């Protein structure tokens, strides 16, 4: 099986079962949203995929390989969080080139320009990170995580800190960018509209369990 396969995953924090037997597939190039209220286990499941939380039982595989055997830094996933977490003392260009240390300088420069074009901020190489708006900072965070061509992108409430209008626009841009780059992604959100805009498949979580999984059109018809 190619892509990501989560099988009967359980994550516990002491006596709390945060993820309670979730089975979920993300085929190559597809975008799956994890949708659910606060505390439903979305973040924990994403962190388990990223290798930041161990499974109590079950498995997470990529192209058939059990990720329990793969060190976090070798999993080659790109991560985007609610807060852009850019390096404040580096320029925008240096932030985006961060994961490209093994590339030669010319290739880095070309890749950075290409990523800035992709996220709609061409020519921003020399800007200071501290002067960016919230929406611009998230675009740069996206550019930084896509630059090294990760095998999948894991996005944890990437738009939740932005105001509603901006969130809607960025969700549409994000959907376009993920399609254009054929990126495999998991997008965590508590916002239905955002999940429907960004994802091919929406997985609804409740109390650590998968309540429903379907495409956005089918879910919109669900009363
Ligand atoms: P339907 O046409 O009835 O929506 P699907 O082929 O979309 O059927 O899905 C059939 C069942 O398979 C769903 O009810 C769901 O439980 C499961 N399923 C669908 N997509 C996934 C997925 N990406 N990962 C895990 N299970 C899935
Ligand atoms: P969501 O992302 O849907 O808001 P979380 O995955 O953050 O949900 O949380 C799922 C459950 O796990 C909640 O009951 C939460 O309180 C608990 N939880 C999350 N992180 C921790 C932690 N580091 N220690 C203890 N409990 C946690």
């Amino acid at each position: 099986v190619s892509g990501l396969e989560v099988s009967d995953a359980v994550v516990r924090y002491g006596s709390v079962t945060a993820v309670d037997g979730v089975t979920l597939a993300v085929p190559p190039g597809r975008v799956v949203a994890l949708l659910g209220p606060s505390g439903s286990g979305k973040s924990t499941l994403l962190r388990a995929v990223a290798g930041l939380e161990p499974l109590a039982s079950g498995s997470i595989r990529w192209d058939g390989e059990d990720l329990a055997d793969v060190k976090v830094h070798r999993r080659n996933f790109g991560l985007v969080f609610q807060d852009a977490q850019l390096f404040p003392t580096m320029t925008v260009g240096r932030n985006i080139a961060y994961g490209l240390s093994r590339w030669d300088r010319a290739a880095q420069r070309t890749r950075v320009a290409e990523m800035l074009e992709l996220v709609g901020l061409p020519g921003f190489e020399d800007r200071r990170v501290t002067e960016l708006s919230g929406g611009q900072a998230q675009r740069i965070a996206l550019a930084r995580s896509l630059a090294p061509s990760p095998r999948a992108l894991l996005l944890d409430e990437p738009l939740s800190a932005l105001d509603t209008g901006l969130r809607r626009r960025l969700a549409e841009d994000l959907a376009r960018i993920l399609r254009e780059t054929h990126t495999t992604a998991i997008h965590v959100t508590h916002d239905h509209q955002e999940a429907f805009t960004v994802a091919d498949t929406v997985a609804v979580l409740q109390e650590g369990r998968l309540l429903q999984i379907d495409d956005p059109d089918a879910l919109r018809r669900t009363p």
Side-chain angles (χ1 to χ4, degrees):
V1 179
S2 56
L4 188 76
E5 252 190 308
V6 176
S7 304
D8 215 9
V10 175
V11 181
R12 292 204 182 92
Y13 296 109
S15 61
V16 175
T17 303
V19 175
D20 193 5
V22 172
T23 295
L24 177 76
V26 188
R30 304 288 296 231
V31 180
V32 174
L34 301 181
L35 175 67
S38 173
S40 57
K42 308 181 294 296
S43 228
T44 301
L45 180 54
L46 196 79
R47 290 171 56 79
V49 172
L52 304 174
E53 301 292 348
L55 295 184
S57 61
S59 67
I60 301 176
R61 293 170 181 275
W62 180 271
D63 288 353
E65 182 185 25
D66 194 328
L67 290 180
D69 303 330
V70 180
K71 289 195 171 70
V72 172
H73 68 280
R74 296 216 171 274
R75 292 190 181 200
N76 194 17
F77 293 132
L79 301 175
V80 181
F81 301 100
Q82 182 167 338
D83 162 16
Q85 301 190 7
L86 299 173
F87 305 113
T89 60
M90 298 184 199
T91 60
V92 163
R94 289 244 170 246
N95 266 275
I96 298 174
Y98 183 74
L100 308 178
S101 53
R102 291 204 207 90
W103 300 34
D104 69 46
R105 287 182 130 245
Q108 287 190 19
R109 209 169 297 145
T110 305
R111 185 64 172 165
V112 168
E114 189 179 275
M115 290 297 104
L116 284 171
E117 191 81 41
L118 180 71
V119 301
L121 296 173
F124 268 56
E125 281 89 341
D126 296 330
R127 300 284 186 108
R128 319 195 115 271
V129 159
T130 46
E131 287 160 10
L132 299 173
S133 70
Q136 287 172 339
Q138 281 310 66
R139 287 175 193 269
I140 299 304
L142 182 63
R144 181 179 60 182
S145 54
L146 282 174
S149 304
R151 51 188 175 183
L153 207 57
L154 308 175
L155 305 120
D156 194 355
E157 301 270 7
L159 309 180
S160 297
L162 308 173
D163 63 48
T164 312
L166 185 59
R167 195 157 72 224
R168 297 271 175 271
R169 276 204 305 286
L170 256 173
E172 280 166 21
D173 279 358
L174 178 60
R176 175 185 58 76
I177 289 164
L178 295 176
R179 295 309 173 289
E180 268 182 26
T181 51
H182 308 289
T183 299
T184 309
I186 301 181
H187 180 105
V188 164
T189 181
H190 62 270
D191 180 331
H192 286 70
Q193 198 57 50
E194 185 180 312
F196 293 165
T197 301
V198 172
D200 306 298
T201 305
V202 179
V204 183
L205 290 186
Q206 190 178 61
E207 293 176 359
R209 292 172 177 275
L210 196 58
L211 195 65
Q212 198 177 5
I213 179 162
D214 222 325
D215 59 84
D217 287 338
L219 278 174
R220 271 199 204 90
R221 290 195 296 270
T222 306

